[in-house]
Amino acid sequence: MRTVPRHLFVPGASLEAAYAQDTVAIKQDSQGRVISCASHPAIVAQMLEQLDVQPAHRILELGTGTGYNAGLLAFLAGPEGLVTTVDVDDDLVDQARTHLTAAGFSNVSVVMGDGALGHLAGAPYDRIVATVGAHGVPRAWFDQLAEGGRLLTPQRLRGSVCRSLAWERDPARAGSWVSVSSEMNTFMPLRKGVADDAQIPVPLTEDGRVALQTHPEHDLDANAFTGVLTGPRAQVWTDVRVEGMESPEWMELYLTLTLPNGLNRLIYDPSAVKDGLLAESPYRSSGATFTDTSIAYLVQRPSTTTSPEGRKLWDFGVVAHGPDRSQLAEQMITALNAWNTECRPRTASFRLRHTIPNDETPHTVRTDSTFRIRTPLNEIDVVWA
């Protein structure tokens, strides 16, 4: 990352912005929403470590963006390696070619196409990496992987909860895959293709300052949520506490597997907190669930106690609005307490099987310490160790 010049891939950004620990937006849709960006450098590095590229590897990247990650992959694979990178937008493809040429890379092929289809002409690949989010993993990605190869994809598991999962073939089960690495991660979703995973905001206020991010498996009447935040509020605090730097990733995963509509993102302008529409300390990550007419979300506050080592703690609570607020708050509290007592010391591993696409609503089934997620493309077992 010290060798590949990131500023050449984001020529519209200042040098400070090009090398900051932050994303750099490069394309927006007609409504001003960012649909492509140069990823956060720490996330880029994390995924490169998960992918474990070796010299002379043949690599397929799905989601070209600026071309910067393709340049990093080409550097790692060396002059004997070859990187093929695919993007759905012709303007991004043209820009990436220009950037890669300016940076001196000749072992990268930039192709326009639907990333969900992979790129059969260059298969098989030793490594396949998606730099776009996917809900299900397209079969083509696995089919185009070489024997002993590894696939890495930022995957939306349920609700808005995503993880960067590295998959390798399960030697004990034909057609099955096991995770060899798992990290908390979120990327822009696939667009314009056979495996789109749209993010669908449902406004919770007339002025649009607060919205609930939903997904294709959710079927909501947006009108049913009009004014929901101005009605009565149920607020409950728990004994669930975390340290300031403690990652909430396993809590989010457990809650999204447990709650009927998963754990989803609450999108809001800070003024909504200042004006009292939202509680003063809404949880900033994936922290909301809902029914057809009601919504509940996680909140945090500084705890009055400290850890045994004297470190600062934060209490978790739940705020709920709507006709089902009491029941929904209780559901969320029950799930929080269950994670805290049953699964908090544990992490999860993942198994994936191909399934035939169907029209059934994705759902979860739990047996003991295993949750099974069904998406239109796969079945995934989440196993708490």
XYZ file of all heavy atoms in Angstrom, residues 154-248:
731
model
N -17.932 -9.541 0.544
C -18.689 -8.861 1.592
C -20.153 -9.272 1.438
O -20.777 -9.003 0.414
C -18.499 -7.373 1.281
C -17.426 -7.306 0.245
C -17.480 -8.608 -0.483
N -20.696 -9.937 2.422
C -21.986 -10.598 2.267
C -22.998 -10.077 3.277
O -22.747 -10.077 4.480
C -21.790 -12.106 2.458
C -22.944 -12.935 1.949
C -22.526 -14.377 1.735
O -21.331 -14.664 1.624
N -23.477 -15.263 1.682
N -24.129 -9.600 2.761
C -25.226 -9.216 3.649
C -25.931 -10.493 4.077
O -26.535 -11.190 3.267
C -26.203 -8.267 2.944
C -27.304 -7.762 3.872
C -28.186 -6.738 3.182
N -29.011 -7.315 2.146
C -30.179 -7.942 2.337
N -30.632 -8.105 3.574
N -30.861 -8.428 1.327
N -25.874 -10.785 5.359
C -26.420 -12.044 5.852
C -27.917 -11.952 6.102
O -28.696 -12.759 5.606
C -25.688 -12.464 7.127
C -24.206 -12.780 6.905
C -23.488 -12.923 8.224
C -24.059 -14.053 6.066
N -28.323 -10.942 6.874
C -29.746 -10.739 7.137
C -29.932 -9.327 7.665
O -29.093 -8.827 8.399
C -30.284 -11.759 8.148
C -31.811 -11.799 8.235
C -32.286 -13.064 8.939
N -33.738 -13.142 8.912
C -34.530 -12.781 9.934
N -33.993 -12.328 11.058
N -35.831 -12.872 9.839
N -31.056 -8.684 7.287
C -31.199 -7.283 7.623
C -30.064 -6.512 6.985
O -29.719 -6.733 5.821
N -29.451 -5.602 7.740
C -28.322 -4.827 7.224
C -26.980 -5.352 7.708
O -25.946 -4.720 7.477
C -28.467 -3.356 7.645
O -29.628 -2.783 7.094
N -26.969 -6.494 8.371
C -25.729 -7.022 8.951
C -24.919 -7.759 7.889
O -25.419 -8.686 7.245
C -26.026 -7.941 10.150
C -24.753 -8.578 10.677
C -26.726 -7.145 11.253
N -23.682 -7.321 7.715
C -22.804 -7.883 6.677
C -21.488 -8.355 7.304
O -21.062 -7.846 8.333
C -22.480 -6.818 5.625
S -23.915 -6.028 4.872
N -20.870 -9.323 6.636
C -19.523 -9.745 7.009
C -18.734 -10.037 5.745
O -19.303 -10.436 4.723
C -19.559 -10.992 7.906
C -20.197 -10.740 9.259
C -19.905 -11.867 10.232
N -18.513 -11.901 10.641
C -17.995 -11.097 11.575
N -18.737 -10.202 12.185
N -16.723 -11.206 11.911
N -17.435 -9.821 5.825
C -16.534 -10.189 4.746
C -16.113 -11.636 4.996
O -15.385 -11.922 5.949
C -15.321 -9.257 4.744
O -14.418 -9.629 3.727
N -16.587 -12.537 4.127
C -16.395 -13.973 4.345
C -15.491 -14.561 3.267
O -15.719 -14.363 2.068
C -17.746 -14.693 4.328
C -18.685 -14.351 5.492
C -20.098 -14.832 5.202
C -18.166 -14.975 6.781
N -14.462 -15.276 3.697
C -13.573 -15.990 2.783
C -13.999 -17.447 2.760
O -14.016 -18.119 3.797
C -12.124 -15.856 3.227
N -14.356 -17.948 1.572
C -14.879 -19.304 1.414
C -13.869 -20.199 0.710
O -13.227 -19.792 -0.260
C -16.160 -19.298 0.585
C -17.302 -18.512 1.150
C -17.739 -17.278 0.746
C -18.181 -18.913 2.213
N -18.824 -16.889 1.493
C -19.119 -17.862 2.393
C -18.255 -20.048 3.022
C -20.122 -17.919 3.348
C -19.254 -20.108 3.974
C -20.175 -19.055 4.133
N -13.750 -21.437 1.200
C -13.026 -22.492 0.500
C -13.889 -23.746 0.489
O -14.791 -23.896 1.314
C -11.681 -22.777 1.185
C -10.699 -21.619 1.063
C -9.322 -21.955 1.609
O -9.148 -23.079 2.136
O -8.418 -21.092 1.510
N -13.610 -24.643 -0.458
C -14.412 -25.852 -0.574
C -14.350 -26.684 0.709
O -13.293 -26.809 1.322
C -13.935 -26.707 -1.747
C -14.355 -26.174 -3.109
C -13.895 -27.109 -4.231
N -14.401 -26.659 -5.523
C -13.799 -25.752 -6.286
N -12.664 -25.198 -5.869
N -14.314 -25.393 -7.438
N -15.491 -27.245 1.080
C -15.549 -28.154 2.223
C -15.138 -29.535 1.728
O -15.848 -30.147 0.929
C -16.979 -28.189 2.776
C -17.098 -29.039 4.036
O -16.139 -29.782 4.338
O -18.137 -28.963 4.704
N -13.981 -30.037 2.162
C -13.520 -31.326 1.643
C -14.422 -32.488 2.032
O -14.386 -33.544 1.397
C -12.127 -31.482 2.276
C -12.155 -30.614 3.493
C -13.060 -29.471 3.160
N -15.265 -32.301 3.046
C -16.110 -33.396 3.526
C -17.488 -33.426 2.860
O -18.188 -34.430 2.961
C -16.288 -33.298 5.041
N -17.872 -32.324 2.177
C -19.223 -32.257 1.612
C -19.176 -31.645 0.219
O -18.791 -30.488 0.067
C -20.150 -31.402 2.500
C -20.322 -31.906 3.923
C -21.226 -30.952 4.695
N -21.413 -31.362 6.078
C -20.615 -31.020 7.079
N -19.554 -30.263 6.833
N -20.851 -31.430 8.308
N -19.572 -32.410 -0.786
C -19.603 -31.901 -2.151
C -20.637 -30.777 -2.249
O -21.740 -30.876 -1.706
C -19.955 -33.024 -3.128
N -20.280 -29.702 -2.953
C -21.206 -28.593 -3.135
C -21.333 -27.692 -1.928
O -22.205 -26.813 -1.907
N -20.480 -27.894 -0.931
C -20.529 -27.075 0.274
C -19.216 -26.318 0.436
O -18.165 -26.748 -0.036
C -20.777 -27.938 1.509
O -22.061 -28.507 1.480
N -19.302 -25.203 1.160
C -18.160 -24.320 1.364
C -18.091 -23.933 2.830
O -19.117 -23.845 3.501
C -18.296 -23.080 0.479
C -18.393 -23.431 -0.973
C -19.489 -23.947 -1.618
C -17.356 -23.372 -1.937
N -19.202 -24.202 -2.936
C -17.886 -23.846 -3.165
C -16.034 -22.953 -1.897
C -17.152 -23.909 -4.325
C -15.277 -23.008 -3.061
C -15.836 -23.487 -4.255
N -16.893 -23.702 3.333
C -16.719 -23.319 4.731
C -15.949 -22.005 4.786
O -15.112 -21.713 3.918
C -15.974 -24.395 5.540
C -16.820 -25.644 5.660
C -14.627 -24.722 4.895
N -16.237 -21.215 5.810
C -15.525 -19.950 5.989
C -14.166 -20.212 6.630
O -14.061 -20.956 7.598
C -16.342 -18.990 6.851
O -16.521 -19.506 8.160
N -13.142 -19.603 6.063
C -11.802 -19.700 6.646
C -11.387 -18.364 7.250
O -10.348 -18.265 7.902
C -10.766 -20.152 5.593
C -11.050 -21.579 5.161
C -10.748 -19.217 4.389
N -12.216 -17.336 7.038
C -11.975 -16.025 7.629
C -13.292 -15.265 7.612
O -14.097 -15.412 6.690
C -10.908 -15.262 6.834
O -10.731 -13.958 7.353
N -13.507 -14.449 8.633
C -14.761 -13.702 8.763
C -14.473 -12.389 9.485
O -13.941 -12.394 10.588
C -15.782 -14.542 9.547
O -16.832 -13.729 10.037
N -14.822 -11.278 8.841
C -14.612 -9.959 9.438
C -15.849 -9.091 9.224
O -16.542 -9.228 8.214
C -13.404 -9.254 8.801
C -12.078 -9.984 8.964
C -11.521 -9.914 10.367
O -12.064 -9.128 11.180
O -10.534 -10.623 10.661
N -16.118 -8.181 10.171
C -17.214 -7.242 10.013
C -16.890 -6.290 8.862
O -15.802 -5.729 8.802
C -17.439 -6.466 11.312
C -18.656 -5.550 11.277
S -19.102 -4.907 12.915
C -17.632 -3.965 13.319
N -17.858 -6.094 7.951
C -17.576 -5.327 6.743
C -18.881 -4.991 6.038
O -19.834 -5.762 6.075
C -16.692 -6.162 5.800
C -15.881 -5.315 4.862
O -16.232 -4.190 4.571
N -14.771 -5.864 4.384
N -18.944 -3.841 5.379
C -20.109 -3.446 4.592
C -19.636 -2.751 3.326
O -18.751 -1.899 3.385
C -21.031 -2.485 5.378
O -21.445 -3.113 6.581
C -22.263 -2.129 4.568
N -20.235 -3.122 2.178
C -19.875 -2.515 0.902
C -21.120 -2.076 0.154
O -22.237 -2.500 0.461
C -19.105 -3.520 0.029
C -17.614 -3.434 0.169
C -16.982 -3.881 1.319
C -16.842 -2.904 -0.844
C -15.603 -3.810 1.452
C -15.460 -2.828 -0.721
C -14.837 -3.285 0.421
N -20.923 -1.222 -0.863
C -22.003 -0.879 -1.779
C -22.533 -2.161 -2.409
O -21.762 -3.036 -2.795
C -21.496 0.049 -2.900
C -20.894 1.348 -2.400
S -22.172 2.467 -1.815
C -21.140 3.851 -1.300
N -23.872 -2.298 -2.556
C -24.417 -3.549 -3.085
C -24.273 -3.673 -4.594
O -24.063 -2.676 -5.304
C -25.898 -3.462 -2.688
C -26.190 -1.996 -2.638
C -24.918 -1.357 -2.141
N -24.374 -4.922 -5.078
C -24.414 -5.186 -6.514
C -25.550 -4.388 -7.161
O -26.630 -4.246 -6.592
C -24.645 -6.676 -6.772
C -23.430 -7.601 -6.672
C -23.890 -9.042 -6.550
C -22.517 -7.428 -7.877
N -25.293 -3.890 -8.397
C -26.298 -3.103 -9.116
C -26.389 -3.560 -10.564
O -25.459 -4.113 -11.126
C -25.917 -1.611 -9.123
C -25.817 -0.953 -7.771
C -25.442 0.527 -7.920
N -24.072 0.689 -8.404
C -23.746 1.198 -9.590
N -24.706 1.580 -10.425
N -22.493 1.317 -9.952
N -27.523 -3.312 -11.183
C -27.747 -3.459 -12.626
C -27.531 -4.876 -13.131
O -27.191 -5.079 -14.298
C -26.812 -2.526 -13.419
C -27.020 -1.049 -13.190
C -26.090 -0.276 -14.132
C -26.209 1.217 -13.957
N -25.299 1.942 -14.891
N -27.718 -5.878 -12.298
C -27.440 -7.237 -12.756
C -28.371 -8.253 -12.160
O -29.380 -7.929 -11.535
N -28.024 -9.541 -12.337
C -28.911 -10.636 -11.953
C -28.945 -10.872 -10.448
O -29.810 -11.585 -9.962
C -28.507 -11.951 -12.675
C -28.594 -11.777 -14.171
C -27.093 -12.385 -12.269
N -28.003 -10.280 -9.713
C -27.969 -10.500 -8.261
C -28.025 -9.168 -7.501
O -27.380 -8.998 -6.479
C -26.720 -11.284 -7.868
N -28.826 -8.225 -8.025
C -28.984 -6.932 -7.358
C -29.417 -7.130 -5.912
O -30.165 -8.045 -5.582
C -30.050 -6.091 -8.069
C -29.530 -5.487 -9.367
O -28.440 -5.873 -9.778
O -30.233 -4.648 -9.950
N -28.967 -6.225 -5.057
C -29.373 -6.259 -3.654
C -29.665 -4.828 -3.213
O -28.876 -4.198 -2.518
C -28.283 -6.894 -2.792
C -28.753 -7.135 -1.365
O -29.951 -7.383 -1.174
O -27.915 -7.057 -0.446
N -30.787 -4.332 -3.641
C -31.120 -2.922 -3.445
C -31.301 -2.583 -1.966
O -31.778 -3.405 -1.179
C -32.399 -2.584 -4.205
N -30.932 -1.364 -1.603
C -31.226 -0.808 -0.294
C -32.441 0.101 -0.455
O -32.431 1.019 -1.276
C -30.029 -0.024 0.250
C -28.810 -0.891 0.477
C -27.581 -0.082 0.872
O -27.559 1.136 0.740
N -26.553 -0.761 1.345
N -33.501 -0.167 0.324
C -34.773 0.520 0.139
C -35.084 1.335 1.390
O -35.509 0.779 2.408
C -35.904 -0.489 -0.135
C -35.503 -1.421 -1.292
C -37.219 0.225 -0.428
C -36.344 -2.664 -1.395
N -34.874 2.666 1.349
C -35.157 3.477 2.530
C -36.653 3.726 2.696
O -37.344 4.073 1.741
C -34.402 4.778 2.250
C -34.303 4.860 0.767
C -34.269 3.446 0.264
N -37.169 3.532 3.912
C -38.563 3.829 4.242
C -38.570 5.070 5.132
O -38.063 5.027 6.259
C -39.222 2.644 4.974
C -40.621 3.014 5.453
C -39.278 1.421 4.067
N -39.110 6.208 4.651
C -39.101 7.433 5.454
C -39.936 7.264 6.728
O -41.042 6.728 6.692
C -39.727 8.482 4.526
C -39.625 7.898 3.150
C -39.716 6.416 3.330
N -39.397 7.736 7.845
C -40.126 7.709 9.107
C -40.590 9.102 9.518
O -41.296 9.242 10.519
C -39.248 7.113 10.214
C -38.743 5.684 9.978
C -37.898 5.214 11.160
C -39.895 4.725 9.742
N -40.166 10.110 8.771
C -40.614 11.484 8.988
C -40.948 12.095 7.638
O -40.370 11.718 6.605
C -39.530 12.337 9.675
O -38.348 12.330 8.862
C -39.197 11.797 11.058
N -41.863 13.058 7.629
C -42.265 13.679 6.368
C -41.130 14.460 5.726
O -41.068 14.580 4.502
C -43.473 14.589 6.610
C -44.758 13.834 6.976
C -45.951 14.753 7.113
O -45.772 15.980 6.903
O -47.051 14.256 7.421
N -40.231 15.005 6.536
C -39.135 15.799 5.981
C -37.926 14.949 5.600
O -36.905 15.466 5.146
C -38.712 16.896 6.960
C -38.274 16.346 8.323
O -38.106 15.117 8.445
O -38.113 17.151 9.257
N -38.012 13.627 5.781
C -36.945 12.728 5.357
C -35.724 12.702 6.245
O -34.701 12.101 5.883
N -35.793 13.289 7.438
C -34.611 13.318 8.299
C -34.311 11.966 8.931
O -33.180 11.717 9.354
C -34.788 14.368 9.395
C -34.613 15.799 8.914
C -34.621 16.764 10.084
N -35.909 16.798 10.772
C -36.101 17.333 11.970
N -35.079 17.848 12.636
N -37.294 17.350 12.521
N -35.321 11.105 9.011
C -35.115 9.771 9.580
C -35.714 8.746 8.627
O -36.838 8.910 8.146
C -35.773 9.629 10.969
C -35.401 8.280 11.583
C -35.362 10.767 11.893
N -34.961 7.701 8.346
C -35.447 6.634 7.472
C -34.950 5.288 7.984
O -33.928 5.202 8.671
C -34.992 6.854 6.032
N -35.676 4.256 7.646
C -35.304 2.877 7.964
C -34.809 2.224 6.688
O -35.522 2.217 5.674
C -36.520 2.127 8.514
C -36.353 0.633 8.756
C -35.384 0.376 9.901
C -37.713 -0.017 9.053
N -33.609 1.695 6.702
C -33.074 1.010 5.525
C -33.592 -0.422 5.490
O -33.329 -1.211 6.388
C -31.554 1.009 5.549
C -30.916 0.329 4.335
C -29.425 0.403 4.380
O -28.832 1.480 4.254
N -28.767 -0.726 4.590
N -34.364 -0.742 4.445
C -34.868 -2.103 4.280
C -34.276 -2.710 3.014
O -33.503 -2.067 2.293
C -36.407 -2.112 4.213
O -36.847 -1.424 3.026
C -37.005 -1.451 5.446
N -34.660 -3.966 2.739
C -34.047 -4.725 1.650
C -35.125 -5.487 0.888
O -36.289 -5.537 1.325
C -32.990 -5.662 2.225
C -31.927 -4.938 2.986
N -32.052 -4.637 4.338
C -30.737 -4.405 2.602
C -30.986 -3.973 4.738
N -30.173 -3.827 3.708
N -34.783 -6.091 -0.238
C -35.811 -6.711 -1.082
C -36.679 -7.758 -0.396
O -37.828 -7.964 -0.795
C -34.984 -7.343 -2.216
C -33.775 -6.468 -2.320
C -33.459 -6.069 -0.908
N -36.166 -8.432 0.638
C -36.983 -9.455 1.299
C -38.041 -8.857 2.220
O -38.927 -9.559 2.709
C -36.101 -10.423 2.091
C -35.367 -9.813 3.281
C -33.973 -9.359 2.928
O -33.718 -9.064 1.739
O -33.126 -9.290 3.834
N -37.943 -7.555 2.500
C -38.924 -6.896 3.348
C -40.057 -6.332 2.498
O -39.821 -5.720 1.464
C -38.273 -5.752 4.138
C -37.189 -6.211 5.044
N -35.958 -5.571 5.131
C -37.118 -7.249 5.912
C -35.195 -6.191 6.006
N -35.872 -7.208 6.492
N -41.286 -6.530 2.935
C -42.458 -6.037 2.214
C -43.221 -5.110 3.149
O -44.017 -5.566 3.977
C -43.339 -7.213 1.765
C -44.521 -6.759 0.921
O -44.485 -5.609 0.439
O -45.476 -7.542 0.762
N -42.979 -3.801 3.025
C -43.552 -2.836 3.956
C -44.427 -1.829 3.234
O -44.156 -1.451 2.087
C -42.442 -2.073 4.683
C -41.602 -2.829 5.708
C -40.566 -1.885 6.297
C -42.459 -3.406 6.801
N -45.475 -1.378 3.921
C -46.273 -0.252 3.473
C -45.689 0.990 4.130
O -45.868 1.212 5.325
C -47.736 -0.451 3.873
C -48.605 0.750 3.498
O -48.095 1.661 2.797
O -49.774 0.782 3.915
N -44.977 1.793 3.346
C -44.301 2.960 3.913
C -45.276 3.914 4.586
O -44.932 4.585 5.567
C -43.513 3.687 2.825
N -46.510 3.983 4.084
C -47.500 4.898 4.663
C -47.838 4.536 6.112
O -48.251 5.396 6.885
C -48.776 4.900 3.823
C -48.543 5.489 2.441
O -47.735 6.395 2.284
N -49.242 4.962 1.444
N -47.664 3.257 6.463
C -47.999 2.825 7.824
C -47.043 3.400 8.855
O -47.339 3.378 10.055
C -47.991 1.297 7.894
N -45.891 3.927 8.405
C -44.905 4.469 9.342
C -44.944 5.994 9.425
O -44.151 6.586 10.151
C -43.497 4.012 8.930
C -43.246 2.563 9.200
C -43.593 1.600 8.258
C -42.685 2.144 10.389
C -43.379 0.258 8.503
C -42.462 0.800 10.641
C -42.818 -0.147 9.698
N -45.863 6.613 8.689
C -45.953 8.071 8.724
C -46.263 8.557 10.140
O -47.253 8.154 10.743
C -47.048 8.565 7.759
O -46.750 8.104 6.437
C -47.112 10.088 7.763
N -45.393 9.400 10.660
C -45.616 9.965 11.989
C -45.364 9.022 13.145
O -45.680 9.350 14.294
N -44.785 7.838 12.883
C -44.617 6.847 13.950
C -43.733 7.376 15.088
O -43.957 7.055 16.263
C -44.055 5.520 13.380
C -42.633 5.688 12.885
C -44.132 4.401 14.416
N -42.761 8.227 14.769
C -41.837 8.708 15.802
C -42.443 9.787 16.694
O -41.903 10.078 17.762
C -40.558 9.249 15.151
C -39.708 8.234 14.378
C -38.478 8.916 13.798
C -39.293 7.070 15.259
N -43.548 10.374 16.256
C -44.172 11.420 17.071
C -45.185 10.850 18.057
O -45.718 11.582 18.887
C -44.867 12.459 16.172
O -45.879 11.810 15.388
C -43.852 13.123 15.245
N -45.445 9.557 17.982
C -46.378 8.916 18.901
C -45.711 8.507 20.196
O -44.537 8.812 20.447
N -46.440 7.777 21.050
C -45.893 7.333 22.341
C -44.613 6.506 22.161
O -44.441 5.803 21.166
C -47.021 6.486 22.937
C -48.260 6.975 22.260
C -47.848 7.362 20.873
N -43.761 6.583 23.159
C -42.448 5.926 23.101
C -42.302 4.975 24.287
O -42.643 5.320 25.412
C -41.354 6.993 23.148
C -39.946 6.465 23.289
C -38.941 7.598 23.465
N -38.850 8.452 22.296
C -38.045 9.513 22.217
N -37.276 9.842 23.256
N -38.022 10.239 21.123
N -41.779 3.769 24.009
C -41.400 2.838 25.073
C -39.886 2.785 25.116
O -39.237 2.606 24.085
C -41.978 1.455 24.797
N -39.307 2.968 26.308
C -37.850 2.951 26.444
C -37.465 2.076 27.625
O -37.983 2.249 28.726
C -37.312 4.364 26.628
C -35.788 4.418 26.686
C -35.258 5.823 26.477
O -35.935 6.674 25.923
N -34.029 6.064 26.909
N -36.560 1.119 27.368
C -36.131 0.171 28.396
C -34.615 0.051 28.351
O -34.023 -0.091 27.280
C -36.759 -1.226 28.161
C -36.405 -2.158 29.311
C -38.262 -1.141 27.977
N -33.974 0.091 29.527
C -32.535 -0.113 29.616
C -32.245 -1.516 30.145
O -33.051 -2.081 30.881
C -31.884 0.930 30.519
C -31.891 2.289 29.893
C -32.771 3.295 30.120
C -30.987 2.759 28.887
N -32.481 4.379 29.335
C -31.381 4.082 28.566
C -29.880 2.214 28.231
C -30.717 4.852 27.619
C -29.219 2.984 27.293
C -29.633 4.286 26.988
N -31.099 -2.075 29.732
C -30.738 -3.435 30.118
C -29.453 -3.425 30.940
O -28.822 -2.384 31.126
C -30.505 -4.315 28.879
O -29.260 -3.925 28.267
C -31.634 -4.165 27.867
N -29.050 -4.601 31.383
C -27.762 -4.773 32.054
C -26.673 -5.210 31.077
O -25.578 -5.601 31.487
C -27.887 -5.817 33.171
C -28.769 -5.325 34.312
O -28.782 -4.098 34.557
O -29.448 -6.159 34.940
N -26.977 -5.153 29.771
C -25.988 -5.513 28.755
C -25.054 -4.319 28.555
O -25.499 -3.219 28.228
C -26.667 -5.889 27.430
C -25.621 -6.232 26.379
C -27.623 -7.061 27.633
N -23.757 -4.544 28.750
C -22.778 -3.461 28.681
C -21.598 -3.874 27.797
O -21.239 -5.043 27.740
C -22.265 -3.100 30.081
C -23.361 -2.616 31.020
C -22.796 -2.226 32.385
N -23.856 -1.704 33.235
C -24.546 -2.430 34.094
N -24.268 -3.724 34.232
N -25.509 -1.879 34.815
N -21.008 -2.883 27.137
C -19.802 -3.120 26.338
C -18.772 -2.062 26.662
O -19.110 -0.955 27.094
C -20.105 -3.097 24.814
C -21.064 -4.197 24.441
C -20.647 -1.736 24.387
N -17.505 -2.405 26.457
C -16.448 -1.418 26.600
C -16.439 -0.495 25.385
O -16.946 -0.855 24.313
C -15.099 -2.102 26.745
C -14.943 -2.883 28.040
C -13.543 -3.454 28.213
O -12.660 -3.074 27.410
O -13.343 -4.253 29.133
N -15.849 0.686 25.558
C -15.873 1.684 24.494
C -15.298 1.197 23.178
O -15.808 1.519 22.115
N -14.220 0.397 23.202
C -13.568 -0.086 21.983
C -13.938 -1.528 21.651
O -13.380 -2.121 20.741
C -12.052 0.034 22.123
C -11.556 1.464 22.294
S -12.055 2.537 20.925
C -11.078 1.822 19.595
N -14.897 -2.091 22.372
C -15.308 -3.469 22.107
C -16.181 -3.533 20.859
O -17.129 -2.777 20.720
C -16.076 -4.020 23.307
C -16.508 -5.467 23.160
C -17.282 -5.969 24.371
O -17.334 -5.234 25.385
O -17.828 -7.075 24.302
N -15.864 -4.442 19.947
C -16.647 -4.566 18.720
C -18.011 -5.180 19.023
O -18.104 -6.187 19.722
C -15.916 -5.455 17.706
O -16.761 -5.707 16.600
N -19.087 -4.590 18.467
C -20.432 -5.125 18.670
C -20.822 -6.155 17.615
O -21.990 -6.532 17.509
C -21.306 -3.876 18.541
C -20.592 -3.078 17.488
C -19.112 -3.339 17.689
